[in-house]
Amino acid sequence: MSLNKNALIRYKTIDKCLQNQYRTWTLDDLIEACSEALFEYEGKENSVSKRTVQMDIQTMRSEKLGYNAPIVVYDKKYYKYDEDDFSITDIPLTETDINVLTETVSMLKQFKDFSLFSDVSDILQRLEDKIYAEKSHTRPVIYLDKNENLKGLHFLDEIYQAIIKKIVLVITYKSFKSREEQIFNFHPFILKEFNNRWFLVGKKKASQPITNLALDRIIKIDFDFNLPYLEEDFDAENFYRDVVGVTVNQGLDAKTIELWIDEENAPYVLTKPFHYSQKLEKENEDGSIIITLKLKINYEIERLLLGFGEGLEVIRPEGLRNRIKGKLEKALKKYE
């Protein structure tokens, strides 16, 4: 049992004792009550020291946990609450508490498509009711992007269950480039989210490379209970270590990418790096910077770089520089 949980048990025990005004409570009485409470929870002797209970009382008196308990000592020996009806369990929520709970509920609800969160739905509902009762019309201060209209989200839980139960999927899929739907078996390894889209990562066959499928391109999902699931030690962290996004060109090595960033965009790139491998190589007098990345070049990094427009220049490698240049030239022609 963690120290924090032990402390909470002691706080509740002291609170329960001091609510009972039909008897007197010395420090030794409170120590004994706390020791008995911990024994009841842990099933083993757990002697509580005098100093521990004294510190607990100080904490309960303070604003540290929001209790502000009116614990007083009378006759230089006995402890009691100076307010007859006080209890740490009846403390109203502060505005900060309400705001924190509001945002926590909002963030948890982002995962409502997974059945593993269904068990907490009732808890979330009760929290929302409590928040509303305490303070109506509380506006959220944290807003998370989520496209509720994105296709394929209803497949999330089916896929999740197939992964943990190691079941082969039968997927009907239609990519943006394909004219017709394809039906194939798929061994699911993980679900990955990137740029507010969900992807299923796995293999069609043992002999084929790891691939990803966009959930919004999946038409239908079924299960093949007869085909043995492909047992593979897939290390997602290592697999995606050298890329931005979800596309991994498995035959390529990571390359050093050197970029010039103008003065306006430099602070954004420094405070939110493209990738963990990003290094600041030079700060120029005009406020611009030179950075390097060590990456496997893919579609996602190219789109990210293009998004900076005239604020970014690819210095090397030459192949990436020429591709970005060609795309910008084509884009410019659209405006001529």
Side-chain angles (χ1 to χ4, degrees), residues 19 65-66 110 137 159 164 167 223 245 291-292 299 305 330:
Q19 285 183 71
L65 299 176
Q110 303 294 312
H137 313 301
I159 295 171
I164 62 175
I167 300 172
F223 306 96
I291 64 168
T292 56
Y299 170 77
L305 299 180
K330 288 181 180 179

Side-chain angles (χ1 to χ4, degrees), residues 44-109:
K44 61 181 180 180
E45 294 291 340
N46 194 336
S47 181
V48 179
S49 70
K50 179 179 178 180
R51 178 170 174 77
T52 296
V53 174
Q54 287 175 324
M55 293 298 293
D56 288 344
I57 291 172
Q58 287 299 104
T59 300
M60 292 173 68
R61 282 170 170 162
S62 72
E63 296 181 356
K64 186 176 181 181
L65 299 176
Y67 292 156
N68 294 302
I71 301 174
V72 295
V73 181
Y74 64 99
D75 294 340
K76 298 181 180 180
K77 183 177 182 181
Y78 303 108
Y79 290 79
K80 71 171 185 177
Y81 280 143
D82 201 29
E83 298 174 12
D84 292 345
D85 297 328
F86 183 86
S87 172
I88 63 173
T89 60
D90 294 332
I91 296 172
L93 293 173
T94 66
E95 185 174 353
T96 300
D97 295 334
I98 293 170
N99 290 337
V100 170
L101 282 172
T102 299
E103 305 312 331
T104 302
V105 169
S106 177
M107 284 187 279
L108 285 174
K109 287 172 71 177

Side-chain angles (χ1 to χ4, degrees), residues 103-164:
E103 305 312 331
T104 302
V105 169
S106 177
M107 284 187 279
L108 285 174
K109 287 172 71 177
Q110 303 294 312
F111 299 95
K112 63 182 176 61
D113 298 296
F114 291 98
S115 65
L116 75 161
F117 283 92
S118 62
D119 292 338
V120 302
S121 61
D122 290 342
I123 300 173
L124 294 181
Q125 183 62 56
R126 291 198 298 273
L127 273 174
E128 287 185 302
D129 290 343
K130 174 66 173 175
I131 292 166
Y132 185 81
E134 291 285 342
K135 182 181 179 182
S136 300
H137 313 301
T138 301
R139 291 187 178 182
V141 295
I142 298 176
Y143 183 79
L144 300 178
D145 279 344
K146 186 174 182 182
N147 187 352
E148 296 285 354
N149 297 319
L150 188 64
K151 294 180 179 179
L153 291 180
H154 61 287
F155 292 128
L156 277 172
D157 193 58
E158 287 183 272
I159 295 171
Y160 171 80
Q161 295 296 334
I163 293 172
I164 62 175

Side-chain angles (χ1 to χ4, degrees), residues 212-225:
N212 66 75
L213 306 174
L215 261 64
D216 56 15
R217 306 311 303 160
I218 295 177
I219 309 299
K220 181 182 177 183
I221 282 181
D222 206 340
F223 306 96
D224 189 335
F225 297 101

Side-chain angles (χ1 to χ4, degrees), residues 26-36 48-50 53:
T26 65
L27 187 60
D28 288 338
D29 292 332
L30 296 177
I31 293 170
E32 182 180 357
C34 288
S35 298
E36 289 178 355
V48 179
S49 70
K50 179 179 178 180
V53 174

Side-chain angles (χ1 to χ4, degrees), residues 159-198:
I159 295 171
Y160 171 80
Q161 295 296 334
I163 293 172
I164 62 175
K165 294 174 183 176
K166 299 184 178 181
I167 300 172
V168 179
L169 296 171
V170 181
I171 294 180
T172 303
Y173 192 79
K174 187 176 186 299
S175 69
F176 290 120
K177 296 180 180 180
S178 177
R179 292 184 178 181
E180 297 181 356
E181 299 174 358
Q182 296 177 300
I183 300 176
F184 49 83
N185 289 328
F186 198 80
H187 301 261
F189 295 163
I190 64 164
L191 282 160
K192 180 173 172 60
E193 188 270 343
F194 175 72
N195 198 24
N196 206 24
R197 294 182 74 196
W198 284 91

Side-chain angles (χ1 to χ4, degrees), residues 190 234-243 276:
I190 64 164
F234 177 68
D235 185 345
E237 185 172 349
N238 184 62
F239 186 72
Y240 289 105
R241 182 183 57 195
D242 296 328
V243 299
Y276 79 88

